[in-house]
Amino acid sequence: MGLIYLSVLLVAIAFLIVVIYLCFVLKRVTNTMKSLSVTLGEVEKQVQKITPELSATLKETDSLMDDVTEKVQATDSVFDSVQLLGESIQSANTAFQNSFGNLTDEEMDKKVKPFIEGIKWSEVGLTLFNQWKSKKPNDRNELMIRDDNEIAVTGREG
């Protein structure tokens, strides 16, 4: 019977060790729960402070979104006008391609040549006008005229 008492004693000691260990674990869990309770209390206070600020921010954001929506709707007519302008340019380009697309290079040169000549003469006129407007006196008053033989004629020949 001594062996049975000894084994019961060992089981009782093991049970005591398990109970002591469970006491330590439960004490730690209790401390953790207290800390968690304090932390959650602080978080709740902060959330109560932040909630009115968030509500005001949401209201302001809503009003800003309404304002942006109104302004975007106001610019819709501008974009519609730009779209119509683009379509007009595209139709003009198509008409131009239809009327001039069948021309050869020689025919195109013949039709464009008067415009090129006009541009050249307008450049000459603009240059003369700018010189006349600035009225800068030249030190030499001479006119260079070149004929086919490349002879320069100046106003100094006598």
Side-chain angles (χ1 to χ4, degrees):
M1 285 256 188
L3 192 57
I4 293 178
Y5 291 121
L6 185 63
S7 58
V8 170
L9 179 66
L10 287 176
V11 170
I13 292 174
F15 184 72
L16 179 67
I17 291 173
V18 169
V19 168
I20 292 173
Y21 178 75
L22 282 175
C23 287
F24 284 124
V25 169
L26 288 176
K27 180 67 174 166
R28 286 184 180 172
V29 168
T30 303
N31 289 338
T32 304
M33 293 301 277
K34 285 180 183 178
S35 173
L36 183 63
S37 174
V38 170
T39 303
L40 286 177
E42 291 174 1
V43 168
E44 185 178 354
K45 289 177 185 177
Q46 290 177 355
V47 166
Q48 287 176 353
K49 289 179 182 178
I50 292 173
T51 301
E53 293 175 10
L54 285 175
S55 179
T57 303
L58 285 174
K59 287 179 184 176
E60 185 177 336
T61 303
D62 189 39
S63 67
L64 285 173
M65 287 301 297
D66 291 340
D67 186 42
V68 167
T69 302
E70 290 175 14
K71 289 181 179 177
V72 166
Q73 288 174 350
T75 60
D76 281 347
S77 62
V78 172
F79 290 114
D80 290 340
S81 298
V82 169
Q83 180 183 2
L84 290 174
L85 177 66
E87 290 172 359
S88 298
I89 290 172
Q90 184 178 5
S91 64
N93 189 22
T94 303
F96 178 77
Q97 289 296 328
N98 288 340
S99 65
F100 292 111
N102 299 331
L103 295 177
T104 64
D105 288 340
E106 292 175 6
E107 292 173 337
M108 183 64 87
D109 288 343
K110 287 179 183 177
K111 289 190 176 197
V112 172
K113 188 174 182 177
F115 295 107
I116 293 173
E117 290 294 323
I119 291 171
K120 287 180 182 177
W121 283 108
S122 65
E123 288 177 359
V124 169
L126 185 61
T127 304
L128 290 174
F129 176 74
N130 286 336
Q131 286 177 355
W132 175 75
K133 190 176 178 182
S134 66
K135 292 185 180 180
K136 288 186 178 179
N138 277 339
D139 293 339
R140 297 183 342 202
N141 211 2
E142 59 185 43
L143 174 65
M144 297 208 50
I145 302 172
R146 295 184 185 245
D147 60 359
D148 292 338
N149 296 330
E150 295 291 325
I151 299 173
V153 178
T154 64
R156 290 188 259 162
E157 283 94 14

